Amino acid sequence: MREFLVAGNWKMNGSAAGNEALVSGIVKGTPDGVGYRMLVCPPFAYLSSVAGLLKGSNIALGAQNVSQFDSGAYTGEISPSMLKDVGCEFVIVGHSERRAMFGESNEIVAAKFVAAQGAGLLPILCVGETLEQREAGTTEQVIDAQLDAVLDAAGIGAFEQAVIAYEPVWAIGTGKTATPEQAQAVHLHIRKRLAGHDGELAGRVQILYGGSMKGDNAPGLLGMPDIDGGLIGGASLKANDFLAIAAAAARD
Ligand code: 13P
């Protein structure tokens, strides 16, 4: 059975004092139960300090972005090995905000995915359609192109050490959530696309849902057969909200 991953993407939020309160609240309130893991992804500036705050817990640390380059004259960039060095296990690649606002193409995202894995990080590959694309009936095509760029660059075997997050752009930060059925349909499509390359491996890949996930809609979403956790923005910034989602993922 696939484990759940409950991942918080803090985006560009936080402060030294605020992070301390948030992380200590999460660590103290981690729900009993098995079959799930928690992850927090703070901004780069706080990775080291949050790594310290997480010591002794089994909550994992991840970054929100990474350079596709290893080292050198790339002012302002952060390399995969640096993330590994400060204690990251995961890194988000291809978040829709990076695609839309920072010009990350499918090819750049694929290069970041490959570079992250090269340093021993687990990439969380984000895919998802905009409202216009959904209304035009091109959701599956858009997601296929996003997935195929990575499959071409890294090969199906790379998904043994990676996570996928389906994040419909229209559901991010809008309070509009995909219904469990809408999300499940896309998750199943993603799994089938991977299964076209390797059916056994496809059955093991964690596929998270992201987009206005909250404590009250988490049980319905996590109850779907192909939804293996959440990539949570707004609700990961308050310990109790984040813990409510973790509680929905915890099994007896
Ligand atoms: P919200 O949970 O705030 O909608 O954000 C989702 C997201 O983009 C996580 O990466």
Side-chain angles (χ1 to χ4, degrees), residues 9 11 95 97 167 171-174 210-213 231-235:
N9 173 9
K11 307 193 179 182
H95 192 281
E97 288 152 16
E167 298 208 313
I172 295 177
T174 58
S212 301
M213 196 188 245
L231 183 54
I232 299 129

Side-chain angles (χ1 to χ4, degrees), residues 6 85 108 190-191 204 213 247:
V6 178
D85 200 25
I108 292 174
I190 292 169
R191 204 177 296 288
R204 289 198 297 272
M213 196 188 245

Side-chain angles (χ1 to χ4, degrees), residues 79-124:
S79 75
S81 58
M82 291 172 186
L83 296 182
K84 191 77 185 162
D85 200 25
V86 297
C88 287
E89 196 179 329
F90 292 85
V91 62
I92 298 169
V93 296
H95 192 281
S96 61
E97 288 152 16
R98 300 224 46 94
R99 293 177 188 266
M101 291 187 272
F102 301 98
E104 293 193 8
S105 63
N106 284 340
E107 290 63 37
I108 292 174
V109 173
K112 291 185 173 202
F113 180 105
V114 169
Q117 279 195 334
L121 295 163
L122 290 161
I124 300 177

Side-chain angles (χ1 to χ4, degrees), residues 7-10 22 26 40 232-239 241-242 245:
N9 173 9
W10 294 2
L22 174 57
I26 295 170
V40 293
I232 299 129
S236 72
L237 299 174
K238 286 196 185 139
D241 293 349
F242 193 53
I245 299 171

Side-chain angles (χ1 to χ4, degrees), residues 4 43 60-61 71 75 105 109 120 139 141 147 158-159 173 189 205 210-211 232 234 243:
F4 284 122
L61 182 70
S71 67
T75 301
S105 63
V109 173
T139 297
Q141 271 164 262
L147 280 178
F159 284 84
H189 175 81
V205 177
I232 299 129
L243 291 169

